[in-house]
Amino acid sequence: SSPESDGCTPELEKAGLLNKTKIAEGGRKLRKNWSPSWVVLVGNSLVFFKDPKSQTPSSWKPGNSRPESSVDLRGAKLHWANELSSKKNVFKLRTVTGNEFLLQSETDSLIREWYSTIQNVIDRLDRE
Ligand code: I3P
């Protein structure tokens, strides 16, 4: 079992680079637009930042650390979704408000870690 699931860690945290596309907003389908995103899992939220690698040194200003968007994981659903993409290692995250995201990594172990860490947060919130 992972260290995150030992029940002794109140705040799960994880950060890393994933490929991301939003595919629905409020239940309404969107056109895919994959891009690398710096993803941070903190508390009950998944927070998306612009890919730091795509920023020039001069773009590192305090204002640029503002998240692009943030997802409340309470009541969210997570599913492997390789049928929704030609890419490998894809999962879908659906929020209670009907926003849907696909997240993807070329690295199998990395995407599995993200999946189980996010699922652990969703499960914890379901129990509250
Ligand atoms: C889409 C783009 C996406 C692709 C999507 C295409 O074309 O190539 O990368 O998704 O496939 O429609 P466009 O750039 O013209 O919008 P995947 O990479 O996830 O396969 P889809 O329409 O079959 O979902």
Side-chain angles (χ1 to χ4, degrees):
S1 76
S2 67
E4 291 86 0
S5 63
D6 65 7
C8 301
T9 314
E11 184 115 324
L12 313 181
E13 286 193 51
K14 189 171 177 60
L17 201 60
L18 293 175
N19 293 315
K20 183 196 76 164
T21 181
K22 194 172 187 180
I23 59 165
E25 166 88 41
R28 193 160 162 235
K29 202 171 177 252
L30 297 176
R31 184 173 176 177
K32 273 182 186 167
N33 181 21
W34 284 103
S35 63
S37 178
W38 184 255
V39 184
V40 178
L41 180 58
V42 56
N44 304 348
S45 297
L46 202 58
V47 188
F48 301 120
F49 294 84
K50 199 172 176 162
D51 173 12
K53 282 185 233 160
S54 74
Q55 297 183 356
T56 62
S58 64
S59 74
W60 280 108
K61 295 167 194 147
N64 286 5
S65 62
R66 229 176 344 109
E68 289 198 312
S69 60
S70 158
V71 167
D72 182 3
L73 292 175
R74 192 179 293 276
K77 301 286 184 202
L78 201 58
H79 296 284
W80 290 109
N82 286 315
E83 77 285 2
L84 294 182
S85 175
S86 60
K87 303 180 196 304
K88 68 169 190 173
N89 297 335
V90 175
F91 63 72
K92 181 172 87 173
L93 178 66
R94 185 186 193 282
T95 68
V96 281
T97 56
N99 294 341
E100 297 185 0
F101 300 85
L102 299 183
L103 293 169
Q104 187 265 347
S105 168
E106 289 302 310
T107 309
D108 299 16
S109 57
L110 203 144
I111 201 72
R112 274 191 260 107
E113 276 177 26
W114 272 103
Y115 186 95
S116 63
T117 307
I118 294 171
Q119 188 62 63
N120 284 344
V121 173
I122 293 171
D123 290 345
R124 170 171 58 78
L125 292 168
D126 280 349
R127 288 192 303 267
E128 276 179 13

